[in-house]
C-alpha cells in the first residue's frame, strides 16, 4: 500500500526541526524535507547571541544541536528539493526531484530566499565579487577592500564579521538609520575599518572578469561616487519563496503567507511557520515557537482527518 505520512514538514531550519520534534513526541508519523543542510539560514550566521540559554553560539553549532535532537527521536529527513506541492482531496502531495511524498498535513517551513539588488548585470557577477553570504564567502576577501549593502541585523553582523577579515569595509545603507539592533550598531561604529555610507544605493558594478569598482549614488544629493572594491556583499533581507505551491493561499502585501495564531493558513491542513509567514518577528526563537504551535494544531487536524 502507498505510504501516507501524517505530516510532512518542508524545510529543516529551526522552525521545521522544532515542528518535527513536537510532531514526533505527539506520536505523528512525520518526515522533514530539507534541500541543503539541517539548520537552513542559521548555518550561515556566525554568532547567535539571543537564543535563550545558549549565551553566544555559532549558527552552525546551534543547527547541529537541533539536528542531533531530531535524530535522537529518529525523525526521518529526506534531503531533496521540492518541485511542487499539490492537494488531492485530503492528501497533500509533495513532489521532490527524487521522490514523491504524501501526507495528510503539511507544514511549510522553508523560510525565505535572499533578496537581490536588482541592478544591471548583478547575476553576472555572482561568484565574481558578488556574494549574498558573508560568512560563506568572506574569507576569500582577506586583506581586501569590500562593500556591503544593507541596514538590518544581518548586514550589521556581516559587516562586523568582514571587518575582521578584510582590510576595509564600506557599509552602504539606503537610509541614515539602521534597522538592526542598537548593540550591533554600536559595535559597527566602534570598528575603525568600517566606513558608513548612508542615504546611498549601489547603482552600477564595473569590472572586467570580476568586480573592480562600484558606483554609489547619494540618494539626497544625487552625487555619484566610485569605490574600488574587490567584493560586494548584498545583505538586504529575504523574501518568501512560494512558487512551488500549486494552489492559492492568502498572502500579505509582501507575499508572506498569512496564518492564524495556530499557524494555519487559509488552506485546510497546510500550516506555515518561521520566516515564510507574516510574523511580526523573524528570529530563531520565534521560528521555533511557530513550529511547536503548528505541530500541536497539525496533530489535532490529522487525528480528525484520518478518522
Ligand atoms: P531585514 O531586517 O529585512 O533588513 C533588510 C535591510 O536591507 C534593511 O535595512 C533594508 O532597508 C535594506 N534593504 C531592503 N531592500 C533593499 C534594497 N532593494 N536595496 C537596498 N537596501 C535594501 O533583513 P535581515 O537583516 O536579513 O534580517 C532578517 C530577519 O532576521 C530580521 O528579523 C532580523 O532581525 C533577523 N536576524 C536576526 C539576527 C540576530 O538576532 N542575531 C541576525 C540576523 C538576522 P530599510 O531599513 O530602509 O528598509
Amino acid at each position: 500500500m502507498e505510504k501516507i505520512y501524517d505530516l510532512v514538514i518542508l524545510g529543516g531550519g529551526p522552525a521545521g526541526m522544532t515542528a518535527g520534534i513536537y510532531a514526533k513526541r505527539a506520536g505523528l508519523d512525520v518526515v522533514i524535507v530539507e534541500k541543503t543542510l539541517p539548520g537552513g539560514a542559521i548555518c550561515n550566521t556566525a554568532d547567535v547571541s539571543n537564543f535563550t540559554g545558549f549565551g553566544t553560539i555559532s549558527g552552525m553549532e546551534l543547527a547541529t544541536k537541533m539536528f542531533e535532537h531530531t535524530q535522537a527521536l529518529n525523525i526521518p529527513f529526506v534531503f531533496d528539493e521540492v518541485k511542487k506541492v499539490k492537494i488531492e482531496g485530503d492528501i497533500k502531495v509533495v513532489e521532490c526531484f527524487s521522490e514523491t511524498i504524501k501526507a495528510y498535513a503539511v507544514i511549510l517551513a522553508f523560510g525565505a530566499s535572499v533578496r537581490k539588488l536588482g541592478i544591471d548585470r548583478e547575476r553576472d557577477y555572482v561568484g565574481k565579487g558578488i556574494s549574498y553570504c558573508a560568512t560563506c564567502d568572506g574569507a576569500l576577501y582577506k586583506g581586501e577592500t569590500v562593500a556591503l549593502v544593507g541596514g538590518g541585523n544581518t548586514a550589521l553582523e556581516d559587516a562586523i564579521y568582514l571587518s575582521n577579515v578584510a582590510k576595509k569595509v564600506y557599509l552602504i545603507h539606503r537610509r541614515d538609520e539602521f534597522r538592526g539592533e542598537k548593540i550591533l550598531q554600536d559595535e559597527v561604529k566602534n570598528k575603525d575599518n568600517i566606513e558608513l555610507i548612508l542615504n546611498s544605493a549601489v547603482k552600477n558594478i564595473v569590472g572586467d572578469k570580476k568586480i573592480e569598482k562600484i558606483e554609489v549614488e547619494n540618494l539626497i544629493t544625487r552625487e555619484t561616487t566610485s569605490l574600488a572594491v574587490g567584493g560586494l556583499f548584498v545583505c538586504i533581507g529575504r523574501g518568501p519563496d512560494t512558487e512551488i505551491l500549486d494552489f492559492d493561499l492568502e498572502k500579505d502585501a509582501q507575499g508572506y503567507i498569512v496564518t492564524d495564531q495556530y499557524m494555519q493558513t487559509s488552506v485546510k491542513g497546510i500550516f506555515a511557520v518561521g520566516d515564510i509567514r507574516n510574523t511580526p518577528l523573524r528570529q530563531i526563537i520565534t521560528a521555533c515557537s511557530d513550529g511547536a504551535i503548528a505541530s500541536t494544531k497539525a496533530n489535532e487536524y490529522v487525528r480528525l482527518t484520518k478518522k
Side-chain angles (χ1 to χ4, degrees), residues 33-83:
V33 182
E34 166 56 44
K35 82 172 167 188
T36 53
L37 279 179
I42 65 165
C43 296
N44 301 326
T45 302
D47 288 329
V48 176
S49 302
N50 51 8
F51 192 71
T52 314
F54 283 85
T56 294
I57 184 168
S58 81
M60 186 58 97
E61 202 183 338
L62 184 57
T64 305
K65 281 184 184 293
M66 290 180 180
F67 181 60
E68 284 167 356
H69 193 164
T70 67
Q71 295 314 284
L73 291 169
N74 293 318
I75 299 169
F77 270 70
V78 168
F79 289 99
D80 201 345
E81 190 171 341
V82 177
K83 280 194 296 188

Side-chain angles (χ1 to χ4, degrees), residues 222-252:
R222 295 290 165 199
E223 209 175 291
T224 298
T225 312
S226 183
L227 300 175
V229 294
L232 175 62
F233 290 85
V234 180
C235 307
I236 59 172
R238 305 171 82 84
D241 207 353
T242 51
E243 282 107 75
I244 60 164
L245 304 180
D246 202 30
F247 50 87
D248 289 330
L249 38 61
E250 191 185 346
K251 293 180 205 151
D252 69 9

